[in-house]
Every structure is written in C-alpha cells, then in structure tokens.
Amino acid sequence: DQQVKQNSPSLSVQEGRISILNCDYTNSMFDYFLWYKKYPAEGPTFLISISSIKDKNEDGRFTVFLNKSAKHLSLHIVPSQPGDSAVYFCAAGLTGGGNKLTFGTGTQLKVEL
Amino acid sequence: GAVVSQHPSRVICKSGTSVKIECRSLDFQATTMFWYRQFPKKSLMLMATSNEGSKATYEQGVEKDKFLINHASLTLSTLTVTSAHPEDSSFYICSAPSPGIGNSPLHFGNGTRLTVT
C-alpha cells in the first residue's frame, strides 16, 4: 500500500524554466511533508518542508505547495539549473510519530541546457 | 548543519557471511536513528527504528534476526546483515532527526551499496 505517490517517474525541463514535481498521499493523518533531493550513490538531502497548517512555503528557488483537500503537494523550482538534475522524493510524516517518514517513489528531474 | 556519516559506502560479500554497516551522527546526539533500504527505481522503505538504550523497532515484514540493529551510543547505530544472500543486495541508508523539538527533518548518511555474490 503506497501511501505517498509520485506518479511521474521522470521529468525533463529546460534550464531557466520552472520545474514542477508532484506528489499525492492517501493518509489524511499526515500533517507534515518534506522534499528531498538525491544523487546516485548518495543519501537524500533535505530541501524544504511544509506543515499542514500552511499551504505554501518558500525557500529561495524552491517553493512547496500543499492542497490538503486534494491530498496533493508540489515542489516548484524556478529557475531550474543543471545542478538540480537529481531524483526528488516527497515524504510525509505524523506529528508524534517519532520522526518516521513515508517516502514516495521519486521523480528523476533532468534539467537540460 | 547536522551530519550523518555511514560506513562503508560499498561492500561486496559472499553468500552466508555477515556484514556490518555503521551509522554515526557527527555533531549531534541521536537517541533515534532510522534504517532504510532502497531497491532500484523504488522508494525508500523504512526497515527499522534504532533506539539508544532499548531494542530496535522493526517494520512489518522485516526479519529482526536477519537484520540486527544495535544502538551502541548516542552517536552510533549499526546494522548487521546476517547470513547474507543475493536477495539482500540493495542500497541501505541510515538517518537521524535533527536535534530539537517538533517535526525535525531527517538527515541521511550517504548509504551503503551491498552486493552479495
């Protein structure tokens, strides 16, 4: 039972344009969400998070949007840079859940010159 | 920022042998660490929660006698894959939550690529 889903396994974007990565979840109890970036043969690196009490959080080129009614979140990267090419995982957690996270299947982003 | 170190980064072993993977929090204490496993083109699957001073908590379907976890100190957790078989070949990653209260993001080690021949 995949509680966190990333339906697009890959995404290709031109440098300078916006990258939009999507994530859906089924468990309405999740109350905080995170995005991680992963390069091959490395562990994931934390990018940005959002609490369920917010619908938007911004940090530099990265913005995460949360639509609780649709159980959907997205990560916007603008402008996209070649160094952004990586696999992006969304993750969800429960406050009081002991920091345990449930991860999506990942989206491979390729930013082309 | 919080740094998690994992060792070794890559290991090849023969079937039937055991392999130990270490996970250290370098500049902070972690009473809890998490062990994940990633199959090719798949999500990160939580295997177990390592608890300092008590037994690890395993996720459903994970064999605790096969994947031994020891949280030896506030900065070290180890995962030992016992009697390894080729199907245990995978990418194993440990993580620890940032110090502080609330929903701290997890910080991950760089993972260990295990190949069992």
Side-chain angles (χ1 to χ4, degrees):
Chain A
D1 176 32
Q2 189 70 34
Q3 295 189 65
V4 180
K5 300 177 185 178
Q6 293 173 257
N7 292 318
S8 297
S10 63
L11 174 68
S12 189
V13 171
Q14 273 196 316
E15 182 181 11
R17 301 287 185 118
I18 184 170
S19 295
I20 300 176
L21 299 112
N22 294 302
C23 179
D24 297 292
Y25 60 96
T26 56
N27 187 347
S28 58
M29 299 296 290
F30 288 138
D31 61 2
Y32 70 102
F33 306 88
L34 309 90
W35 283 95
Y36 284 83
K37 175 181 179 180
K38 185 181 180 299
Y39 294 114
E42 292 185 10
T45 302
F46 169 70
L47 274 177
I48 192 169
S49 64
I50 188 167
S51 162
S52 62
I53 63 173
K54 293 186 172 183
D55 54 18
K56 177 183 174 182
N57 189 25
E58 191 172 350
D59 184 1
R61 295 186 299 117
F62 302 93
T63 303
V64 55
F65 294 92
L66 175 63
N67 183 334
K68 288 189 293 294
S69 60
K71 296 195 187 69
H72 177 84
L73 65 152
S74 60
L75 175 68
H76 292 209
I77 306 173
V78 57
S80 301
Q81 298 172 355
D84 296 329
S85 298
V87 177
Y88 289 78
F89 288 96
C90 67
L94 286 161
T95 299
N99 294 107
K100 286 171 64 171
L101 297 179
T102 301
F103 282 83
T105 48
T107 297
Q108 172 77 59
L109 173 65
K110 184 177 179 182
V111 180
E112 299 171 320
L113 297 170
Chain B
V3 176
V4 174
S5 174
Q6 190 172 338
H7 178 80
S9 58
R10 186 180 294 269
V11 59
I12 300 172
C13 70
K14 293 185 176 181
S15 284
T17 61
S18 294
V19 173
K20 180 185 281 188
I21 303 169
E22 291 187 349
C23 180
R24 295 179 186 273
S25 56
L26 292 187
D27 50 0
F28 64 103
Q29 293 182 335
T31 56
T32 301
M33 292 185 178
F34 300 96
W35 287 95
Y36 286 83
R37 179 176 180 176
Q38 186 184 22
F39 294 98
K41 299 188 190 294
K42 296 286 186 183
S43 181
L44 292 143
M45 303 299 297
L46 179 64
M47 298 175 64
T49 303
S50 175
N51 304 299
E52 191 271 337
S54 64
K55 291 182 179 180
T57 307
Y58 290 82
E59 296 300 304
Q60 191 173 12
V62 177
E63 298 176 61
K64 61 180 182 181
D65 294 330
K66 180 162 190 63
F67 299 100
L68 299 180
I69 290 172
N70 182 28
H71 203 125
S73 73
L74 286 171
T75 59
L76 174 64
S77 174
T78 59
L79 168 68
T80 302
V81 183
T82 62
S83 186
H85 289 101
E87 57 265 30
D88 299 325
S89 298
S90 193
F91 192 58
Y92 294 87
I93 318 175
C94 71
S95 66
S98 301
I101 60 174
N103 299 322
S104 306
L106 294 181
H107 293 276
F108 286 83
N110 274 336
T112 298
R113 170 68 61 190
L114 171 63
T115 304
V116 184
T117 60

